[in-house]
Amino acid sequence: ASDNCSKMLKYRCSGCIAVRKLLNSRNFSKLLHSCAYLCDHHKVIMEAEDKYKSELRKALICGKEILLTPRRRQLSKES
Amino acid sequence: MFQGQRGWFCRSVSQDLRQFWVDEGGTVSDVQAADFLFSCDASHPDTLRIYQSLEYIEDNATVFHAYYLSAVANTEMKNSVALGHFVLPPACLQKEIRRKIGSFIWEQDENFLVKKHDRI
Ligand SMILES: [Zn+2]
């Protein structure tokens, strides 16, 4: 565990060093995305979250399309 | 220390930590108005709602583990605690992340935090 800590101290990205005064739940994600050299810790978290978000986005769009597709037309096409 | 800042707290966050936020000048607000989102449990329904919100999808809502507050409470150099290390990702991602980077900072420090927690 402490090995992980020292790793984080050795290499710090903007996600690590940004002071809290300039940082909040609203801008943190954007800050990570704008950082060119992320540390392993933030890179892994950001990539995982991005994947999750894009899946959620897809699900959201699909959900909307299903709602928007007129059911009747589908049925008439089949007959 | 948290003067003028609005925090939202998942119900998984203990009263002590919420009180610390208020004692340090922060205010407690609803999700929409909050600058900071704190949770102790990524699978709590309150927090899940954030992970499923449009705000989250659009990168406008990062949830932080509320142990950040106890880390701040337990150190002399309060501003030296890096909030950025306390990102709380959705529960379904934690296993994968842990496999790549080892345990999260709030897991590493859990014992230390709990022990000192009584003092708050
Ligand atoms: Zn970092």
Side-chain angles (χ1 to χ4, degrees):
Chain A
S2 60
D3 180 49
N4 201 33
C5 274
S6 59
K7 225 188 295 166
M8 224 140 55
L9 287 173
K10 218 186 298 168
Y11 183 67
R12 313 179 80 192
C13 69
S14 18
C16 298
I17 53 174
V19 279
R20 195 190 43 82
K21 282 228 152 61
L22 304 171
L23 194 86
N24 57 43
S25 288
R26 305 307 179 187
N27 63 19
F28 190 71
S29 185
K30 293 190 199 84
L31 179 95
L32 288 189
H33 282 105
S34 66
C35 177
Y37 300 100
L38 286 177
C39 68
D40 289 348
H41 179 91
H42 283 116
K43 190 161 169 262
V44 168
I45 289 183
M46 192 186 82
E47 283 173 357
E49 282 200 295
D50 279 354
K51 209 166 76 189
Y52 173 88
K53 284 173 191 172
S54 77
E55 269 159 29
L56 215 62
R57 209 175 289 135
K58 255 183 267 166
L60 215 67
I61 293 167
C62 288
K64 261 183 205 151
E65 267 172 11
I66 289 163
L67 286 175
L68 291 172
T69 312
R71 214 189 134 83
R72 218 178 282 156
R73 198 189 294 163
Q74 270 179 339
L75 287 174
S76 64
K77 227 185 265 171
E78 275 166 29
S79 59
Chain B
M1 173 168 180
F2 305 123
Q3 206 69 44
Q5 299 182 326
R6 289 159 303 203
W8 170 86
F9 291 84
C10 172
R11 273 173 291 170
S12 62
V13 180
S14 73
Q15 191 54 44
D16 298 3
L17 293 178
R18 217 179 289 214
Q19 193 54 48
F20 175 70
W21 173 261
V22 173
D23 290 345
E24 291 284 327
T27 50
V28 176
S29 77
D30 58 25
V31 179
Q32 246 68 44
D35 307 306
F36 296 91
L37 307 169
F38 290 114
S39 171
C40 281
D41 179 6
S43 47
H44 190 284
D46 290 357
T47 304
L48 273 179
R49 217 171 296 138
I50 292 183
Y51 293 139
Q52 283 156 5
S53 71
L54 213 57
E55 278 188 308
Y56 179 77
I57 297 176
E58 290 174 347
D59 295 334
N60 289 321
T62 299
V63 180
F64 294 108
H65 202 294
Y67 278 161
Y68 165 74
L69 296 172
S70 85
V72 170
N74 288 307
T75 175
E76 299 298 317
M77 293 153 64
K78 300 210 178 302
N79 281 312
S80 69
V81 183
L83 176 62
H85 288 162
F86 287 84
V87 178
L88 180 67
C92 56
L93 304 178
Q94 288 180 13
K95 205 172 142 197
E96 187 198 334
I97 295 173
R98 212 175 275 125
R99 202 161 37 92
K100 290 180 182 160
I101 62 170
S103 50
F104 290 96
I105 193 162
W106 64 83
E107 295 172 326
Q108 297 161 17
D109 288 343
E110 201 158 9
N111 292 328
F112 154 81
L113 292 167
V114 169
K115 203 172 67 194
K116 289 199 163 184
H117 194 73
D118 306 327
R119 258 190 5 201
I120 299 179

